[in-house]
Amino acid sequence: METSSSSSSATNGVIGATGVLQPNPVFQNGVGVLGSSHSQVYMERDAVSETRALVAELCRHFYTLGWVSGTGGSITIKVADDSVPKPRQLVVMSPSGVQKERMASDDMYVLSSDGFILSTPAFKPYPHQHHKCTDCAPIFMKVYEMCDAGAVIHSHGMEACLVTMMNPFSKEFHITHMEMIKGIRGHVYHDELVLPIIENSAHERELVDSLTEAIRAYPKATAVLVRNHGVYIWGDSWISAKTQAECYHYLFDAAIKLHQLGLDWSTPGHGPIRVNGACGCGTSFSRGLKAGSLSLDYMVGPSHRSILLSLEGTTMPLSFVSNILLAYAHDSVGKHLAATYDTEETQVDISLLRSQIQCDLDQGIVGAVPIPSDYVGKELVIASLVANVEAMIRADRKVTALKQLQGHMWRTGFLSNDLVGFVFDDVSEALDRWHAAGIKVYVYSSGSREAQQFLFANSNFGDLRKYFCGYFDTTVGDKNETHSYLEILQTVGVDRPADLLFVTGIFQEAVAARTAGLEVIISIRPGNGPLPENHGFRMIESLLEI
């Protein structure tokens, strides 16, 4: 039930272009003041309450998709009411700085059609932060004004971030001949979908002008990408916006995967990427450099340097992986499979394990035992799966089936506070320094990307995910293989390999990365293995030395 404070009138402010509550009604960048047409009686209608509850529900759902984690991202919906012209309908917006997965209807702001705040959320005591309307409010109001939208979604999904980084000089994202393009308004399968990419800024309210220009320049687009940040997506209703958001994220993910395979997602045949007129995979490419020629300052300027960190032996002790993470997975596998056996996720995990185990049996791998059919009962199936998984963990196998299952078990451990990620004392301060200097930081680990994110989200220094632009696991290749680092270079979009600094505590990884052309530093940490004499690498004992 909503409290009286959440529905009380707050007619003392308007969302201006600065994104803050203005003390008096003013016009700024097209955001105006409210007239006298909206009354307290209207605010209490079912349509308003239902829209507030809907925004809360969608925030919780989008959190599970990774679009609004870490309190980032936002959503706004107009209150659908046939008795009110769409341009004058009320607007519901989610607040800033609130955990989206715990959002409730009384956390929402209600605004007039011209940006005047009518209702503020109920006060919540410490440790809840003081509510404020989303920082995206000026952008949302501009989209409503220009696009006749009924809802706008701002996603921080990793896919939306990475597609803007694959070519850091392109001002557009292109993709064609993908089935999900049909889910985008005004497009069919054979069309080329083109989205503008605008540059990020320190504050979201500063994006209003560049987003306005992008909307004018691309009238067919229903989304604008923000480099190294995310995407704004809109539709004429919340259903249209949600549907298109799902299609866009699918297409972004498809482009990333095709890129990793050396395939061109922007051409009808999705053939090998063409480099200087020739076809090739695993090579840098230069399509779409519409922002102008490369400048030396951009290529070597310190604010544009990128750092790739090996997780094990660099940000955390090698012993944490073996003594904590792997031990937890070894001890928890039976309990995890029994508790989640009938879920779709675990059934997928079991299917992958069955395939891997059969392959191991065919190859005579020690420790592999046959898995009985389901009809004999899940207890026997689980027992045989446990035996195989424990053997894989003891042998330190890097197979996909095991990594996926481990990631799901670790997720459970972190969410239940049974696990806490342990990073070295210097890591948090170094990340903060690099972040302030505009340096992009990525992680490369043998563990899954999901496991990496949970580890940094639940570290002994709190949630560190805001410092990372991306996560890589062995889906790009083994960490001791040179081609893995070539794949990472392409995904990150660094023009010169030497502009990507790789920090690792493992000599074999250092050799592979140097062969790919990366600058490499070896991290000397307690528990790391010995190094050969005259190895030729620079060494550090703390990330603060960088």
Side-chain angles (χ1 to χ4, degrees):
M1 179 178 296
E2 296 177 3
T3 64
S4 59
S5 61
S6 68
S7 59
S8 62
S9 179
T11 56
N12 62 346
V14 60
I15 296 295
T18 60
V20 298
L21 187 66
Q22 303 292 336
N24 297 302
V26 294
F27 283 90
Q28 292 193 16
N29 284 7
V31 181
V33 300
L34 174 68
S36 59
S37 60
H38 296 295
S39 67
Q40 181 65 23
V41 174
Y42 188 87
M43 288 287 298
E44 295 173 353
R45 294 178 65 171
D46 289 343
V48 177
S49 298
E50 291 169 359
T51 305
R52 291 157 64 109
L54 175 60
V55 172
E57 176 188 350
L58 290 176
C59 284
R60 295 191 295 269
H61 173 60
F62 292 161
Y63 176 85
T64 67
L65 300 177
W67 296 358
V68 294
S69 58
T71 78
S74 191
I75 180 174
T76 173
I77 300 176
K78 281 197 170 183
V79 178
D81 189 336
D82 293 338
S83 66
V84 179
K86 191 172 182 180
R88 300 299 300 164
Q89 290 173 349
L90 296 184
V91 174
V92 176
M93 287 188 190
S94 61
S96 281
V98 179
Q99 302 289 330
K100 298 300 191 296
E101 76 276 19
R102 299 179 61 83
M103 201 73 77
S105 60
D106 63 357
D107 289 314
M108 302 304 151
Y109 282 81
V110 181
L111 287 74
S112 69
S113 59
D114 44 15
F116 198 89
I117 294 179
L118 302 174
S119 175
T120 59
F123 174 78
K124 293 185 178 181
Y126 181 85
H128 298 283
Q129 294 187 4
H130 182 67
H131 284 82
K132 66 174 183 176
C133 194
T134 173
D135 295 334
C136 303
I139 295 174
F140 287 158
M141 299 309 296
K142 179 58 66 174
V143 174
Y144 281 136
E145 173 192 336
M146 298 182 67
C147 304
D148 192 32
V152 190
I153 297 167
H154 176 42
S155 166
H156 283 191
M158 183 59 68
E159 309 96 324
C161 182
L162 287 180
V163 293
T164 69
M165 301 163 68
M166 292 191 295
N167 187 340
F169 307 104
S170 179
K171 297 297 185 182
E172 296 176 340
F173 168 76
H174 296 247
I175 192 167
T176 187
H177 283 67
M178 296 288 290
E179 180 67 15
M180 295 296 273
I181 292 177
K182 292 161 59 176
I184 307 301
R185 188 188 70 186
H187 290 77
V188 296
Y189 170 76
H190 297 94
D191 286 342
E192 181 182 37
L193 175 68
V194 182
L195 295 183
I197 301 174
I198 62 176
E199 299 303 320
N200 197 18
S201 64
H203 305 285
E204 283 173 304
R205 59 180 177 269
E206 297 170 355
L207 296 172
V208 172
D209 290 343
S210 56
L211 181 131
T212 300
E213 294 175 5
I215 292 175
R216 288 172 178 162
Y218 297 81
K220 193 175 180 180
T222 55
V224 173
L225 286 157
V226 183
R227 198 178 316 278
N228 306 339
H229 183 150
V231 63
Y232 288 89
I233 301 167
W234 58 89
D236 58 7
S237 68
W238 72 267
I239 295 176
S240 172
K242 176 177 178 290
T243 300
Q244 291 185 93
E246 292 167 350
C247 292
Y248 278 125
H249 282 80
Y250 175 97
L251 294 168
F252 298 155
D253 189 46
I256 292 167
K257 287 181 168 59
L258 289 168
H259 175 78
Q260 292 172 338
L261 295 171
L263 302 178
D264 190 348
W265 58 93
S266 66
T267 59
H270 300 151
I273 295 170
R274 301 190 68 84
V275 186
N276 296 328
C279 294
C281 299
T283 341
S284 298
F285 60 97
S286 57
R287 67 170 300 277
L289 299 184
K290 298 185 178 181
S293 59
L294 303 182
S295 70
L296 185 60
D297 288 339
Y298 191 99
M299 294 170 65
V300 301
S303 63
H304 294 93
R305 284 294 301 272
S306 299
I307 297 176
L308 177 66
L309 297 175
S310 176
L311 191 143
E312 304 89 344
T314 300
T315 63
M316 65 176 49
L318 287 171
S319 59
F320 178 81
V321 177
S322 57
N323 295 347
I324 304 298
L325 291 182
L326 294 181
Y328 179 86
H330 183 278
D331 296 340
S332 303
V333 60
K335 177 181 177 181
H336 175 83
L337 291 175
T340 64
Y341 187 84
D342 295 321
T343 65
E344 180 180 353
E345 180 179 80
T346 296
Q347 284 300 308
V348 172
D349 290 345
I350 291 173
S351 177
L352 286 174
L353 284 169
R354 283 184 179 275
S355 298
Q356 181 62 54
I357 292 164
Q358 186 58 54
C359 181
D360 291 348
L361 289 168
D362 294 341
Q363 296 179 22
I365 301 295
V366 175
V369 297
I371 307 298
S373 301
D374 290 334
Y375 70 82
V376 304
K378 71 178 183 181
E379 290 79 9
L380 291 177
V381 173
I382 290 175
S384 58
L385 287 168
V386 169
N388 280 280
V389 169
E390 290 179 345
M392 291 180 185
I393 293 174
R394 286 193 298 270
D396 196 23
R397 301 282 299 280
K398 307 296 186 185
V399 294
T400 300
L402 175 62
K403 288 193 299 179
Q404 180 165 304
L405 176 63
Q406 285 175 329
H408 294 151
M409 289 190 286
W410 292 333
R411 177 184 62 197
T412 300
F414 283 118
L415 291 177
S416 63
N417 294 321
D418 290 335
L419 287 174
V420 175
F422 180 84
V423 299
F424 291 112
D425 290 344
D426 56 283
V427 171
S428 177
E429 183 178 350
L431 291 172
D432 192 58
R433 287 185 185 180
W434 298 337
H435 184 72
I439 296 173
K440 301 172 185 176
V441 183
Y442 306 85
V443 181
Y444 187 19
S445 171
S446 298
S448 69
R449 292 183 301 168
E450 182 183 38
Q452 297 172 42
Q453 293 178 65
F454 272 105
L455 191 153
F456 285 112
N458 301 275
S459 83
N460 50 325
F461 284 90
D463 191 344
L464 302 176
R465 289 175 298 174
K466 67 179 180 180
Y467 296 119
F468 297 103
C469 293
Y471 305 85
F472 296 96
D473 58 21
T474 51
T475 55
V476 301
D478 188 275
K479 295 181 72 179
N480 294 340
E481 299 290 337
T482 298
H483 73 84
S484 305
Y485 299 92
L486 294 174
E487 290 294 331
I488 291 174
L489 283 169
Q490 283 208 359
T491 303
V492 171
V494 173
D495 185 67
R496 299 191 313 166
D499 286 342
L500 179 60
L501 170 63
F502 179 50
V503 187
T504 179
I506 300 174
F507 176 70
Q508 293 82 357
E509 296 176 7
V511 173
R514 183 168 61 180
T515 303
L518 280 68
E519 181 183 347
V520 180
I521 292 176
I522 291 185
S523 173
I524 306 300
R525 299 288 199 181
N528 285 5
L531 298 172
E533 294 184 6
N534 304 317
H535 53 73
F537 290 100
R538 175 189 168 191
M539 297 180 294
I540 59 170
E541 295 183 355
S542 167
L543 295 182
L544 295 174
E545 298 177 43
I546 300 175

